[in-house]
Amino acid sequence: MKKLLIALLAFMQICFCFAKSAVFQSENYSLNVEYNEKLIPGDAVFVRMSITLPKNHKKAKNDTEKRAALIFYQDKKQIDKVNFYSVGKKKNNQTYSDLLCGLPLSPWLENGNYSLKVVFSFSEDETNEFTLPVIFENRKFNSETIQLNESNTAIKTDNSPERTAQINKLNDILFTTMPQDVFTLKKFICPTTSTRYTAWYGDRRVYAYSNGKSSTSLHYGNDYGIPEGSEVRACADGKVVMAENRISTGWSIVVEHLPGLYSLYYHLSEMLVKEGDMVKQGDLIAKSGSTGLATGPHLHWEMRLNGSAVRPEFFMKDFAFEEED
C-alpha cells in the first residue's frame, strides 16, 4: 500500500505540470485538486481540494481547519502557511469535503526557487503531503510622487493615540480568520463602473510633505477618479465588519467575504450600510468622496487576504475554481 501511495503521488505531481487540476486516489479516499500555478507578485495562490471518503473509512477529524494546510517555501525556508477551510458538505452516502485556502504573494516577491506543499490528514492515523509545481512570473509596478498640502501632511504624519487605535482596530479585523464565514465563491466585480484609474495597486509612492520632508510607502489598492457622490457597490456577497470615519481613510467600509478575505472602500462621502449588515454583490453600499487623506474625489478599493493587500483584479476571475470547464 505504501509503494502504491508514493507512485500515485508522483503521478499527481506530473499531472500538475501540465494542468491546474489532478486526481489522487488511495484505498481510503480520492482527492481532486485545483490551483493557480503562477506566482505573480501582488497576486495570491488559491488551492481547492475535494475529498471523497468511503462509507467504511475511519472517522475523520471534525476540525476541518486542522485537516489540511498549504505551506509556501523559498528553497527550504518556510515563508507562509495557511489552513484550509470547508466550503462543502456531505454528499450521498459518502463524506464529501470541499476545502479551500488562499495565500497572498508579496508585491516585493522576486524570482527564486519557490514551492508549495499541501499537508493533509483526513483520519486519525493517516497523514500525507504533496508538492504543487509553480511558475514565477514577474510584474513591474509604477512609481509616483504625491505632493501633499498642509492638511494632508498633518494627516499623514499624525501619531496621535486616536489614529494609532484606529490602525490597530483595522489590523485586528484584517488579520482575523473565521473558518465558518464563507459568504461567496463567485468571482468579484468592480465596485464602480468607472474605468478611470488615478492610481494602481502596488504603486511605489513618495509622499512629499509641505514641510519639505518626505516618506515612502506602497499603495495597497486601486484608485478610481470619480466625481463626489458616485455610486459604490459591493464587489461580492459578504458581511460588513466596519463602517466608520477614520483619520487617514475618511468614511470607510470593510466587508468580509471569505475566511481572512476582506474588501475595503475608502474616502467615502456617504455610507449606506452599517456594521453587521449582510450585502449582496452589486448592492449600493456608499457614495464616493474625498474624506481623509485625499488630493481629490475618488474611490480607493482594496482587497486584503490574511492581512496582506492583494491586487483587486485577481479576484475578478474564477479564483475559487467554482465554474465548471
Side-chain angles (χ1 to χ4, degrees):
M1 172 58 190
K2 186 175 181 180
K3 292 182 179 180
L4 176 62
L5 183 64
I6 294 174
L8 287 168
L9 280 170
F11 172 72
M12 182 179 66
Q13 291 177 10
I14 292 172
C15 289
F16 270 121
C17 291
F18 302 99
K20 296 179 182 179
S21 62
V23 177
F24 168 70
Q25 188 77 43
S26 77
E27 294 179 356
N28 293 325
Y29 51 80
S30 61
L31 174 64
N32 294 276
V33 182
E34 292 181 278
Y35 78 113
N36 53 295
E37 62 182 349
K38 289 186 178 180
L39 303 181
I40 304 177
D43 279 10
V45 172
F46 270 76
V47 180
R48 189 161 181 174
M49 298 198 300
S50 300
I51 307 99
T52 303
L53 303 176
K55 189 175 181 180
N56 60 352
H57 186 259
K58 295 179 181 180
K59 186 178 180 180
K61 295 180 179 180
N62 292 323
D63 188 350
T64 56
E65 195 177 19
K66 293 183 179 179
R67 284 182 176 177
L70 178 67
I71 308 174
F72 184 35
Y73 290 95
Q74 181 174 12
D75 296 317
K76 295 183 179 181
K77 180 181 179 181
Q78 180 176 316
I79 299 177
D80 201 356
K81 178 181 179 181
V82 293
N83 292 320
F84 284 79
Y85 48 86
S86 176
V87 294
K89 52 188 177 180
K90 291 184 178 180
K91 182 179 180 182
N92 299 327
N93 294 324
Q94 296 178 323
T95 301
Y96 175 85
S97 296
D98 203 0
L99 305 179
L100 181 70
C101 78
L103 187 149
L105 300 172
S106 168
W108 303 104
L109 196 69
E110 296 181 348
N111 194 12
N113 183 25
Y114 299 106
S115 62
L116 291 169
K117 180 183 290 186
V118 176
V119 180
F120 59 98
S121 177
F122 304 135
S123 67
E124 295 180 351
D125 57 358
E126 184 179 1
T127 300
N128 287 297
E129 62 182 45
F130 56 84
T131 299
L132 300 175
V134 292
I135 301 171
F136 179 84
E137 185 174 297
N138 204 2
R139 168 180 283 134
K140 292 185 178 180
F141 295 96
N142 298 325
S143 297
E144 63 175 344
T145 298
I146 307 294
Q147 300 288 337
L148 299 184
N149 58 23
E150 188 173 343
S151 60
N152 279 332
T153 295
I155 293 174
K156 184 65 177 173
T157 58
D158 186 344
N159 294 318
S160 66
E162 181 183 4
R163 183 167 181 254
T164 299
Q166 290 178 354
I167 293 171
N168 290 338
K169 179 180 179 180
L170 179 60
N171 285 336
D172 285 344
I173 291 173
L174 299 179
F175 283 92
T176 296
T177 301
M178 304 294 289
Q180 71 276 11
D181 288 354
V182 178
F183 300 119
T184 185
L185 294 172
K186 298 190 303 182
K187 56 187 178 183
F188 291 9
I189 62 172
C190 186
T192 175
T193 58
S194 174
T195 57
R196 180 174 173 258
Y197 289 80
T198 55
W200 299 81
Y201 166 87
D203 286 353
R204 274 58 171 167
R205 284 185 163 181
V206 175
Y207 287 97
Y209 301 151
S210 60
N211 58 14
K213 297 182 180 180
S214 65
S215 66
T216 59
S217 67
L218 193 75
H219 192 236
Y220 288 144
N222 290 337
D223 285 350
Y224 301 89
I226 52 180
E228 183 155 343
S230 299
E231 293 183 341
V232 177
R233 298 186 176 273
C235 63
D237 297 0
K239 179 180 180 181
V240 179
V241 293
M242 176 183 281
E244 63 184 46
N245 192 18
R246 306 178 71 247
I247 294 173
S248 295
T249 59
W251 291 104
S252 306
I253 293 173
V254 180
V255 180
E256 179 191 23
H257 303 287
L258 285 169
L261 181 60
Y262 301 86
S263 62
L264 300 83
Y265 313 80
Y266 287 165
H267 310 295
L268 308 170
S269 63
E270 183 180 358
M271 300 191 303
L272 303 176
V273 293
K274 63 183 183 303
E275 184 176 333
D277 285 352
M278 302 300 298
V279 297
K280 292 292 186 182
Q281 185 176 69
D283 281 354
L284 181 63
I285 61 173
K287 299 290 183 67
S288 64
S290 56
T291 56
L293 200 167
T295 57
H298 72 287
L299 169 67
H300 173 97
W301 177 39
E302 187 174 318
M303 295 297 307
R304 293 289 188 110
L305 175 61
N306 304 333
S308 297
V310 174
R311 189 175 65 97
E313 287 86 352
F314 175 84
F315 298 97
M316 296 173 68
K317 57 185 178 182
D318 187 23
F319 69 96
F321 311 103
E322 185 71 0
E323 299 176 1
E324 296 183 2
D325 295 333

